[in-house]
PDB file of all heavy atoms in Angstrom:
ATOM      1  N   GLN A  51      -6.946  96.726  77.042  1.00  0.00           N
ATOM      2  CA  GLN A  51      -6.067  96.532  78.203  1.00  0.00           C
ATOM      3  C   GLN A  51      -4.612  96.367  77.775  1.00  0.00           C
ATOM      4  O   GLN A  51      -3.696  96.834  78.451  1.00  0.00           O
ATOM      5  CB  GLN A  51      -6.523  95.299  78.999  1.00  0.00           C
ATOM      6  CG  GLN A  51      -7.792  95.549  79.785  1.00  0.00           C
ATOM      7  CD  GLN A  51      -8.459  94.281  80.267  1.00  0.00           C
ATOM      8  OE1 GLN A  51      -7.999  93.178  79.974  1.00  0.00           O
ATOM      9  NE2 GLN A  51      -9.555  94.425  80.988  1.00  0.00           N
ATOM     10  N   ASP A  81       4.553 104.577  84.150  1.00  0.00           N
ATOM     11  CA  ASP A  81       4.977 105.896  83.627  1.00  0.00           C
ATOM     12  C   ASP A  81       4.264 106.212  82.317  1.00  0.00           C
ATOM     13  O   ASP A  81       3.811 107.336  82.082  1.00  0.00           O
ATOM     14  CB  ASP A  81       6.490 105.904  83.393  1.00  0.00           C
ATOM     15  CG  ASP A  81       7.275 105.970  84.702  1.00  0.00           C
ATOM     16  OD1 ASP A  81       6.694 106.404  85.714  1.00  0.00           O
ATOM     17  OD2 ASP A  81       8.454 105.561  84.704  1.00  0.00           O
ATOM     18  N   ARG A  83       1.436 104.921  81.202  1.00  0.00           N
ATOM     19  CA  ARG A  83       0.003 105.166  81.449  1.00  0.00           C
ATOM     20  C   ARG A  83      -0.208 106.590  81.948  1.00  0.00           C
ATOM     21  O   ARG A  83      -1.140 107.272  81.533  1.00  0.00           O
ATOM     22  CB  ARG A  83      -0.534 104.193  82.512  1.00  0.00           C
ATOM     23  CG  ARG A  83      -0.761 102.781  82.030  1.00  0.00           C
ATOM     24  CD  ARG A  83      -1.676 102.011  82.975  1.00  0.00           C
ATOM     25  NE  ARG A  83      -1.136 101.827  84.307  1.00  0.00           N
ATOM     26  CZ  ARG A  83      -0.327 100.829  84.667  1.00  0.00           C
ATOM     27  NH1 ARG A  83       0.020  99.919  83.775  1.00  0.00           N
ATOM     28  NH2 ARG A  83       0.115 100.727  85.890  1.00  0.00           N
ATOM     29  N   PHE A  89      -7.824 106.858  80.317  1.00  0.00           N
ATOM     30  CA  PHE A  89      -8.819 105.777  80.335  1.00  0.00           C
ATOM     31  C   PHE A  89     -10.205 106.318  80.663  1.00  0.00           C
ATOM     32  O   PHE A  89     -10.352 107.203  81.501  1.00  0.00           O
ATOM     33  CB  PHE A  89      -8.463 104.740  81.417  1.00  0.00           C
ATOM     34  CG  PHE A  89      -7.268 103.889  81.076  1.00  0.00           C
ATOM     35  CD1 PHE A  89      -6.007 104.235  81.539  1.00  0.00           C
ATOM     36  CD2 PHE A  89      -7.406 102.744  80.305  1.00  0.00           C
ATOM     37  CE1 PHE A  89      -4.909 103.459  81.241  1.00  0.00           C
ATOM     38  CE2 PHE A  89      -6.304 101.963  80.001  1.00  0.00           C
ATOM     39  CZ  PHE A  89      -5.047 102.323  80.469  1.00  0.00           C
ATOM     40  N   PRO A  98     -13.951 107.924  94.869  1.00  0.00           N
ATOM     41  CA  PRO A  98     -15.156 108.419  95.560  1.00  0.00           C
ATOM     42  C   PRO A  98     -14.896 109.462  96.634  1.00  0.00           C
ATOM     43  O   PRO A  98     -15.791 110.232  96.970  1.00  0.00           O
ATOM     44  CB  PRO A  98     -15.769 107.152  96.167  1.00  0.00           C
ATOM     45  CG  PRO A  98     -14.694 106.126  96.157  1.00  0.00           C
ATOM     46  CD  PRO A  98     -13.748 106.479  95.065  1.00  0.00           C
ATOM     47  N   VAL A  99     -13.663 109.482  97.196  1.00  0.00           N
ATOM     48  CA  VAL A  99     -13.411 110.450  98.286  1.00  0.00           C
ATOM     49  C   VAL A  99     -12.921 111.810  97.763  1.00  0.00           C
ATOM     50  O   VAL A  99     -12.680 112.711  98.548  1.00  0.00           O
ATOM     51  CB  VAL A  99     -12.394 109.892  99.313  1.00  0.00           C
ATOM     52  CG1 VAL A  99     -12.977 108.721 100.068  1.00  0.00           C
ATOM     53  CG2 VAL A  99     -11.080 109.504  98.642  1.00  0.00           C
ATOM     54  N   GLU A 104     -11.022 117.534  92.094  1.00  0.00           N
ATOM     55  CA  GLU A 104      -9.843 116.767  92.542  1.00  0.00           C
ATOM     56  C   GLU A 104      -9.628 115.527  91.685  1.00  0.00           C
ATOM     57  O   GLU A 104      -8.484 115.123  91.442  1.00  0.00           O
ATOM     58  CB  GLU A 104     -10.019 116.378  94.013  1.00  0.00           C
ATOM     59  CG  GLU A 104      -9.932 117.573  94.949  1.00  0.00           C
ATOM     60  CD  GLU A 104     -10.445 117.268  96.347  1.00  0.00           C
ATOM     61  OE1 GLU A 104     -11.325 116.384  96.488  1.00  0.00           O
ATOM     62  OE2 GLU A 104      -9.977 117.919  97.293  1.00  0.00           O
ATOM     63  N   ARG A 140     -18.884 115.548  95.095  1.00  0.00           N
ATOM     64  CA  ARG A 140     -18.249 114.221  95.049  1.00  0.00           C
ATOM     65  C   ARG A 140     -19.057 113.315  94.114  1.00  0.00           C
ATOM     66  O   ARG A 140     -20.229 113.592  93.824  1.00  0.00           O
ATOM     67  CB  ARG A 140     -18.197 113.628  96.455  1.00  0.00           C
ATOM     68  CG  ARG A 140     -17.179 114.353  97.333  1.00  0.00           C
ATOM     69  CD  ARG A 140     -16.766 113.514  98.510  1.00  0.00           C
ATOM     70  NE  ARG A 140     -15.844 114.248  99.357  1.00  0.00           N
ATOM     71  CZ  ARG A 140     -15.316 113.769 100.479  1.00  0.00           C
ATOM     72  NH1 ARG A 140     -15.613 112.543 100.883  1.00  0.00           N
ATOM     73  NH2 ARG A 140     -14.485 114.480 101.197  1.00  0.00           N
TER      74      ARG A 140
ATOM     75  N   ARG B  10      -8.987 111.162 103.617  1.00  0.00           N
ATOM     76  CA  ARG B  10     -10.410 111.033 103.264  1.00  0.00           C
ATOM     77  C   ARG B  10     -10.866 109.576 103.289  1.00  0.00           C
ATOM     78  O   ARG B  10     -12.025 109.296 103.581  1.00  0.00           O
ATOM     79  CB  ARG B  10     -10.657 111.637 101.892  1.00  0.00           C
ATOM     80  CG  ARG B  10     -10.386 113.125 101.920  1.00  0.00           C
ATOM     81  CD  ARG B  10     -11.261 113.880 100.992  1.00  0.00           C
ATOM     82  NE  ARG B  10     -10.863 115.267 100.956  1.00  0.00           N
ATOM     83  CZ  ARG B  10     -10.902 116.002  99.867  1.00  0.00           C
ATOM     84  NH1 ARG B  10     -11.335 115.473  98.737  1.00  0.00           N
ATOM     85  NH2 ARG B  10     -10.544 117.255  99.906  1.00  0.00           N
ATOM     86  N   GLU B 296     -10.835 100.392  92.953  1.00  0.00           N
ATOM     87  CA  GLU B 296     -10.320 101.757  93.019  1.00  0.00           C
ATOM     88  C   GLU B 296      -8.788 101.776  92.865  1.00  0.00           C
ATOM     89  O   GLU B 296      -8.227 102.684  92.250  1.00  0.00           O
ATOM     90  CB  GLU B 296     -10.687 102.309  94.382  1.00  0.00           C
ATOM     91  CG  GLU B 296     -11.006 103.765  94.382  1.00  0.00           C
ATOM     92  CD  GLU B 296     -11.528 104.121  95.754  1.00  0.00           C
ATOM     93  OE1 GLU B 296     -12.608 103.606  96.109  1.00  0.00           O
ATOM     94  OE2 GLU B 296     -10.839 104.864  96.462  1.00  0.00           O
ATOM     95  N   ALA B 301      -4.064 102.773  89.515  1.00  0.00           N
ATOM     96  CA  ALA B 301      -2.964 102.202  88.711  1.00  0.00           C
ATOM     97  C   ALA B 301      -3.130 102.594  87.253  1.00  0.00           C
ATOM     98  O   ALA B 301      -2.157 102.901  86.554  1.00  0.00           O
ATOM     99  CB  ALA B 301      -2.936 100.688  88.864  1.00  0.00           C
ATOM    100  N   SER B 302      -4.383 102.616  86.765  1.00  0.00           N
ATOM    101  CA  SER B 302      -4.605 102.986  85.354  1.00  0.00           C
ATOM    102  C   SER B 302      -4.258 104.453  85.111  1.00  0.00           C
ATOM    103  O   SER B 302      -3.922 104.841  84.003  1.00  0.00           O
ATOM    104  CB  SER B 302      -6.058 102.705  84.958  1.00  0.00           C
ATOM    105  OG  SER B 302      -6.914 103.687  85.500  1.00  0.00           O
ATOM    106  N   LYS B 306       2.255 104.410  90.585  1.00  0.00           N
ATOM    107  CA  LYS B 306       3.169 103.273  90.668  1.00  0.00           C
ATOM    108  C   LYS B 306       2.899 102.461  91.925  1.00  0.00           C
ATOM    109  O   LYS B 306       2.258 102.935  92.864  1.00  0.00           O
ATOM    110  CB  LYS B 306       4.612 103.778  90.683  1.00  0.00           C
ATOM    111  CG  LYS B 306       5.021 104.420  89.385  1.00  0.00           C
ATOM    112  CD  LYS B 306       6.464 104.869  89.473  1.00  0.00           C
ATOM    113  CE  LYS B 306       6.877 105.521  88.163  1.00  0.00           C
ATOM    114  NZ  LYS B 306       8.245 106.009  88.209  1.00  0.00           N
ATOM    115  N   VAL B 400      -5.141  95.112  85.879  1.00  0.00           N
ATOM    116  CA  VAL B 400      -6.283  94.603  85.113  1.00  0.00           C
ATOM    117  C   VAL B 400      -7.199  93.739  85.982  1.00  0.00           C
ATOM    118  O   VAL B 400      -8.424  93.787  85.865  1.00  0.00           O
ATOM    119  CB  VAL B 400      -5.794  93.857  83.852  1.00  0.00           C
ATOM    120  CG1 VAL B 400      -5.152  92.519  84.195  1.00  0.00           C
ATOM    121  CG2 VAL B 400      -6.936  93.664  82.871  1.00  0.00           C
ATOM    122  N   HIS B 404     -11.240  94.697  87.421  1.00  0.00           N
ATOM    123  CA  HIS B 404     -12.399  93.832  87.202  1.00  0.00           C
ATOM    124  C   HIS B 404     -12.887  93.165  88.471  1.00  0.00           C
ATOM    125  O   HIS B 404     -13.708  92.256  88.413  1.00  0.00           O
ATOM    126  CB  HIS B 404     -12.073  92.781  86.134  1.00  0.00           C
ATOM    127  CG  HIS B 404     -11.944  93.409  84.791  1.00  0.00           C
ATOM    128  ND1 HIS B 404     -10.732  93.682  84.196  1.00  0.00           N
ATOM    129  CD2 HIS B 404     -12.892  93.890  83.939  1.00  0.00           C
ATOM    130  CE1 HIS B 404     -10.934  94.272  83.035  1.00  0.00           C
ATOM    131  NE2 HIS B 404     -12.237  94.406  82.843  1.00  0.00           N
TER     132      HIS B 404
END
Side-chain angles (χ1 to χ4, degrees):
Chain A
Q51 286 165 357
D81 286 339
R83 284 198 297 274
F89 288 95
V99 293
E104 290 166 332
R140 289 200 182 179
Chain B
R10 296 212 186 144
E296 215 172 295
S302 75
K306 293 181 180 178
V400 72
H404 290 101

